[in-house]
């Protein structure tokens, strides 16, 4: 299926690709096309609407720390998502707050704020062991952000990337459905998941939507 070339990736694009109901959905594009913002917004909106929770993964510890330091700090992103960050001194009416690796939201109901509930946790991939005891039936999405790397960077990872991810998936899903979203950049990458699942990589110039394993 051919798609029209766009300058930015947005909500409708996310819904379109997720409508194929893949267990794992991979979205590859050039940098700064809006993939990450789209799914940060989705995580917050699904929490508000359905109480659903998201696990957000980065490959390395340094990347995880960098992501945590600026996850929802952009004013433009906050506006896009409908978020205002809580601060006990400067913004007591915020609807999202961060404590360590965890993000919490709250609703304004009947003229007062409801209690805080967590909706997103950020981990590095090697935290697969810690996630075994952190399953929650409300977790229905795992986002693996910037998962595509050069071969040299992949070699810095101590462990098997695909196996560690599958371990996280089964730790999170237990007896309920969990969907996985891989976000990556097209230029200059290799992909250990293609090898793991026996997928022939599409040509670098190809654009569109492709399904595997009989849809």
């Amino acid at each position: 299926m051919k798609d029209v070339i766009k300058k930015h990736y947005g909500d409708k694009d996310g819904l379109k690709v997720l409508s194929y109901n893949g267990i794992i959905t991979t979205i590859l594009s050039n940098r700064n096309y809006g993939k990450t913002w789209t799914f940060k917004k989705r995580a917050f909106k699904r929490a508000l609407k359905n109480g659903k929770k998201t696990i957000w993964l980065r490959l390395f510890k340094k990347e995880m720390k960098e992501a945590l330091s600026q996850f929802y700090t952009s004013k433009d992103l906050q506006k896009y998502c409908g978020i205002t960050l809580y601060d006990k001194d400067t913004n007591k009416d915020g609807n999202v707050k961060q404590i360590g690796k965890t993000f919490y939201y709250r609703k304004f109901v009947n003229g007062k704020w409801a209690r805080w509930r967590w909706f997103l946790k950020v981990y590095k991939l090697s935290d697969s062991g810690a996630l075994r005891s952190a399953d929650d039936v409300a977790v229905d999405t795992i986002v693996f952000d910037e998962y595509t790397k050069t071969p040299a960077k992949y070699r810095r990872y101590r462990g098997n990337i695909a196996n560690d991810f599958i371990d996280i998936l089964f730790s999170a899903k237990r007896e309920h459905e969990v969907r996985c979203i891989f976000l990556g950049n097209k230029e200059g990458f290799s992909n250990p998941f293609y090898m793991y699942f026996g997928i022939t990589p599409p040509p670098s110039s190809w654009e569109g939507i492709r399904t595997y394993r009989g849809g």
Side-chain angles (χ1 to χ4, degrees), residues 43-44 47-48 53 71-72 83-86 94-107 113-121:
F44 175 66
L48 279 181
K53 301 176 179 179
F71 204 88
Y72 282 119
I83 283 172
T84 57
L85 290 182
Y86 170 85
N95 60 0
V96 167
K97 70 176 180 179
Q98 176 184 358
I99 300 178
K101 298 179 181 180
T102 306
F103 292 85
Y104 298 81
Y105 77 100
R106 60 179 178 174
K107 295 181 179 182
W113 287 107
R115 68 185 180 89
W116 292 101
R117 300 173 183 270
W118 80 266
F119 73 98
L120 188 145
K121 292 177 184 278

Side-chain angles (χ1 to χ4, degrees), residues 171-196:
S171 295
K173 74 180 295 298
R174 297 300 170 101
E175 302 299 327
H176 66 283
E177 182 178 343
V178 173
R179 302 180 71 178
C180 307
I181 302 164
F182 289 7
L183 305 178
N185 301 309
K186 290 179 68 174
E187 63 272 70
F189 73 91
S190 61
N191 194 323
F193 292 95
Y194 285 164
M195 182 178 295
Y196 184 88

Side-chain angles (χ1 to χ4, degrees), residues 7-157:
K7 291 184 178 180
H8 295 285
Y9 188 91
D11 296 355
K12 291 182 179 179
D13 303 298
L15 291 175
K16 181 176 181 179
V17 73
L18 293 179
S19 72
Y20 286 78
N21 296 315
I23 297 173
I24 296 176
T25 298
T26 298
I27 300 169
L28 297 171
S29 76
N30 294 330
R31 294 180 179 276
N32 301 318
Y33 267 43
K35 302 182 299 296
T36 297
W37 277 29
T38 293
F39 291 98
K40 285 182 177 180
K41 179 178 180 179
R42 179 181 182 272
F44 175 66
K45 293 298 185 181
R46 285 178 62 76
L48 279 181
K49 185 176 180 180
N50 302 314
K52 297 299 184 181
K53 301 176 179 179
T54 298
I55 298 297
W56 198 278
L57 296 176
R58 296 297 298 267
L59 185 57
F60 297 112
K61 183 177 182 179
K62 181 179 179 181
E63 292 179 341
M64 178 192 71
K65 288 184 174 181
E66 289 174 351
L68 283 166
S69 69
Q70 55 190 2
F71 204 88
Y72 282 119
T73 56
S74 164
K75 295 297 184 182
D76 289 336
L77 176 59
Q78 290 173 26
K79 183 178 180 181
Y80 177 61
C81 296
I83 283 172
T84 57
L85 290 182
Y86 170 85
D87 185 279
K88 65 178 182 179
D89 297 317
T90 62
N91 187 24
K92 292 183 178 180
D93 288 328
N95 60 0
V96 167
K97 70 176 180 179
Q98 176 184 358
I99 300 178
K101 298 179 181 180
T102 306
F103 292 85
Y104 298 81
Y105 77 100
R106 60 179 178 174
K107 295 181 179 182
F108 196 71
V109 182
N110 297 325
K112 62 181 180 180
W113 287 107
R115 68 185 180 89
W116 292 101
R117 300 173 183 270
W118 80 266
F119 73 98
L120 188 145
K121 292 177 184 278
V122 182
Y123 292 96
K124 62 184 184 298
L125 186 65
S126 60
D127 286 332
S128 56
L131 281 161
R132 290 193 187 101
S133 59
D135 60 302
D136 188 316
V137 294
V139 173
D140 75 341
T141 303
I142 300 173
V143 177
F144 193 174
D145 194 14
E146 294 197 25
Y147 84 102
T148 50
K149 307 292 180 187
T150 62
K153 286 186 177 180
Y154 277 134
R155 285 195 292 270
R156 288 166 44 203
Y157 184 80

